[in-house]
Amino acid sequence: MTLPTLFLPHGGGPCFFMDPEGGPPDPMWRSMQAYLAGLIHGLPERPKAILLVSGHWEEDQVTVHAGDGHPLLFDYYGFPEHTYRLRWDAPGAPDVAARAKALIEGAGFPVGVERARGWDHGVFIPMMVAVPGADIPLAQLSLRKDLDPAAHIAIGRALAPLRDEGVLIVGSGMSFHNLRARGPQVTPVADEWDAALVDAVTDPDPARRAARVAAWDELPHAHFAHPREEHLLPLMVALGAGGEGPAVCDYRDHVMGWAVSGYRFG
């Protein structure tokens, strides 16, 4: 069974876990939480492992995390004290990390290896919702600091064989990420950007799709939506790994005045 690939929104900080009693989060985040909670159940089979690319890890060359993911890396600031004691104790997946390294190197890209860094909140916050039992091994992959979209699409293409090996490839970021622009006055601009991005990502022609998404900064309001594009680049990896199959927008909602979308490939 060939698994799809996913680009998912990971929310804002520990947004799904703000209540220390474990009650429902802020209503604004409930739709996104429900989407994440249904991700694994919506797959054709349960993954043997997850390879996740987060918008919160960049290295000079693409790097695989080949160790144990915890303790977690609480790389958010100014949130309630209990959100710095969250846990997601899934095992690492060093075999998947090694396989990903070999595939990417086979495509001509140098790959680093890292074993000490904890999983950042682009990993553990959405995975606490999607895999609450922490029972699917996970390996993390970094972005390249140059944020070259075509290179990240090519890296994704190199990883595509993992889909036939029971590995779910996930890009974790946000389709809109301008932290200084919030509120209803932002919504018309965010909606126009999102509509253009959805149209590019879901282009039925795979080659044209890749070219249009690689040229993301030519879309309306691109640099308003992403003053810096690190939260968009995980989309490139998921798209590349998705291959020739269909691309669909399987989540869309508004948070903080932003239109936010998630995608499924293949």
Side-chain angles (χ1 to χ4, degrees), residues 212-236:
R212 292 177 67 188
V213 175
W216 70 274
D217 57 349
E218 298 176 7
L219 298 178
H221 314 297
H223 287 287
F224 179 80
H226 290 278
R228 188 173 185 275
E229 61 267 33
E230 79 286 343
H231 273 64
L232 190 64
L233 264 291
L235 168 64
M236 313 297 174

Side-chain angles (χ1 to χ4, degrees), residues 199-213 239 243-247:
D199 189 64
V201 173
T202 60
D203 191 313
D205 181 275
R208 192 171 59 216
R209 175 196 310 160
R212 292 177 67 188
V213 175
L239 183 151
E244 303 295 305

Side-chain angles (χ1 to χ4, degrees), residues 186-210:
V186 177
T187 301
V189 174
D191 281 354
E192 188 174 351
W193 151 258
D194 190 71
L197 182 65
V198 169
D199 189 64
V201 173
T202 60
D203 191 313
D205 181 275
R208 192 171 59 216
R209 175 196 310 160

Side-chain angles (χ1 to χ4, degrees), residues 38-78:
L39 283 180
I40 301 301
H41 298 297
L43 298 174
E45 65 180 12
R46 187 172 179 82
K48 296 175 182 176
I50 295 169
L51 179 67
L52 188 145
V53 185
S54 165
H56 288 278
W57 185 21
E58 301 173 34
E59 298 288 349
D60 290 334
Q61 59 187 18
V62 64
T63 299
V64 293
H65 185 293
D68 196 331
H70 40 270
L72 304 179
L73 178 60
F74 294 101
D75 56 337
Y76 44 71
Y77 308 95

Side-chain angles (χ1 to χ4, degrees), residues 10-18 56 72-87 119-126 128 179:
H10 61 229
C15 57
F16 311 117
F17 303 99
M18 294 290 284
H56 288 278
L72 304 179
L73 178 60
F74 294 101
D75 56 337
Y76 44 71
Y77 308 95
F79 290 94
E81 190 273 337
H82 75 273
T83 64
Y84 298 90
R85 290 183 279 107
L86 297 172
R87 297 187 61 172
W119 287 326
D120 59 66
H121 79 274
V123 180
F124 72 84
I125 291 298
M128 285 178 68
L179 298 179

